[in-house]
Amino acid sequence: MSQFPEDFYWGGAIAANQVEGAWNTDGKQASVSDIMSYKPKLDVTNFNAHHQFTTEKVIAALNDSDIQLYPKRRGIDFYHHYKDDVKLFAEMGFKVLRVSIAWTRLYPTGEESEPNEAGLKFYHSLFDELLSHGIKPLVTLHHYEMPVALALKYNGWQDRRVIGLFTRFCQTCFEQYGQKVKLWLTFNEVDSIIRHPFTTAGVLEDNCGDETFEQACYTALHHQFVAAAIVTRLCHELSEGSKMGCMLTKTMTYPYSSQPEDVAATQIKNLNNMFYSDVQMNGVYPAMMINMLRSRGIEIPLKDDDLEILANNTADFLSFSYYMTRCESVNPDLERTPGNTTLGIKNPYLKSSEWGWQIDPVGLRVSLIELYDRYRKPLFIVENGLGTRDTVTESGHIHDSYRIEYLRSHLIEVKKAISLGVDLMGYTSWGPIDLISAANSQVTKRYGFIHVDLDDMGNGTGVRRKKDSFEWYKEVIRTNGSNLE
Ligand code: BGP
């Protein structure tokens, strides 16, 4: 097979916290992302310093009403513009749109006894709008959107009781939207807990009780694994015909050289990366990882029938994000470059984006083959794209040939993997409309086919404009990828 399958899900991916805005409207309360401030000059050599939070920092942010400093609070106002935006996605021929449901719209503090009606209504309208255009929703249940209230009260996912609260939120989602949504994802980039534990799991470093901060992160991760398994079972029970995927940041690492020590160090990096999907796809903790963690004094806090729950409720498919690759070496003097919330050794064969992320289309083919060979279950690329600055010409055009080239070269590699037999369900490019970037909270790091007239401070009309890539992607979808070469 050298073509994309006939029923291939072409589309785009967004997340509530990066587009909706309206952060305290209609009963919604703050999520962890609403307290992430604008950081255009994020020092990735010390990424953790920016993403480790204390109670004091969170409370200060909650008391700060500055909307400019916290861009995710305003997003691109998708909350009020979604009908027009969905119309544009439909014009491109989208078959699927990946969105997330903000936990805080349905349960503002995570602990209400009844869901918030206005929040329920918003997502009903969004899904109805999508379906009326023939676009299927692919819904992430947890995309850096935990209620801040749960972070403060329970130290987020470190507390096992959060499993129950999240399960109740998911049950509401399945009962409310199970007829409209048949494709679901549990945790966005579940592995990101070790890179930014506060946004991924609400873990505050000063609030870990008897556990060290690192132990608290792995405790929280275990609770997320158990929760993902429980809601996978629930989803199958409550939403007939639904499929539940897990979601990994695919961070492919190459040995910088063929020196065996470089290869060995690289192997560990890659094992670490796939540890998360190993648990969610295979239903067991890999013994080698348990040993590696134990050697650092970390234990997985297994309780009762956790192992059975994990084993019996694996994900139906593996979805992943793919933006860049990196190298590894035992030589400490090699030049490093940032990636998606990571730092890696620079690959001399690759070019980088303005944000330092190394552009590697072939790495996507390698990733697809590796993941399919490892799990033998369908894959779904749910994020891929180029974040970069765009220029609007005097006549109002945006000539983003660089974006087209990035996406085209990646899709050609996807096609090669499919022709080898990789079972790929779909491809949703990240940020089909400009949105607030996750790590830096910038809008000027643009991913979209659709330009949004806003700057980093939120100045602008918010008007949507089609970039050159808009027509290009429309043609890719229309021809089912046969125009790529
Ligand atoms: C992924 C996240 C997304 C998204 C993307 C791009 O890790 O799942 O939410 O934002 O990265 O990263 P950024 O927005 O920092 O450019």
Side-chain angles (χ1 to χ4, degrees), residues 18 143-144 188-189 323 340 357 383 430 437-439 445 447:
Q18 290 170 266
H143 195 135
Y144 312 148
N188 181 66
E189 298 185 336
Y323 294 93
N340 187 4
W357 299 19
E383 289 187 30
W430 176 251
S437 73
K445 187 184 184 191
Y447 285 90

Side-chain angles (χ1 to χ4, degrees), residues 85-200:
D85 294 341
V86 167
K87 214 174 277 169
L88 288 166
F89 299 146
E91 194 182 325
M92 276 188 278
F94 279 21
K95 315 281 182 227
V96 69
L97 182 73
R98 177 179 171 221
V99 297
S100 62
I101 295 178
W103 190 348
T104 48
R105 270 198 208 289
L106 268 50
Y107 290 95
T109 66
E111 295 200 277
E112 289 75 7
S113 52
E114 294 298 325
N116 171 28
E117 275 305 320
L120 291 176
K121 202 168 144 226
F122 171 69
Y123 293 107
H124 270 299
S125 313
L126 173 61
F127 299 146
D128 289 342
E129 195 64 25
L130 288 169
L131 293 170
S132 75
H133 287 285
I135 301 175
K136 292 194 167 56
L138 162 60
V139 173
T140 315
L141 291 157
H142 193 284
H143 195 135
Y144 312 148
E145 285 144 1
M146 135 172 275
V148 164
L150 296 182
L152 292 171
K153 182 168 173 187
Y154 295 105
N155 210 28
W157 281 92
Q158 188 194 355
D159 194 313
R160 207 177 161 93
R161 283 173 290 182
V162 172
I163 299 177
L165 296 170
F166 180 68
T167 304
R168 196 171 54 121
F169 157 68
C170 293
Q171 177 161 353
T172 302
C173 292
F174 302 143
E175 285 169 355
Q176 290 283 329
Y177 311 122
Q179 295 300 316
K180 300 177 183 180
V181 179
K182 297 295 177 190
L183 292 167
W184 301 88
L185 301 178
T186 46
F187 291 84
N188 181 66
E189 298 185 336
V190 68
D191 51 289
S192 59
I193 195 164
I194 48 150
R195 299 191 300 276
H196 41 98
F198 178 67
T199 33
T200 311

Side-chain angles (χ1 to χ4, degrees), residues 302-315:
L302 291 175
K303 282 237 168 73
D304 312 328
D305 49 358
D306 283 3
L307 288 178
E308 205 183 318
I309 294 172
L310 292 177
N312 292 337
N313 302 286
T314 53

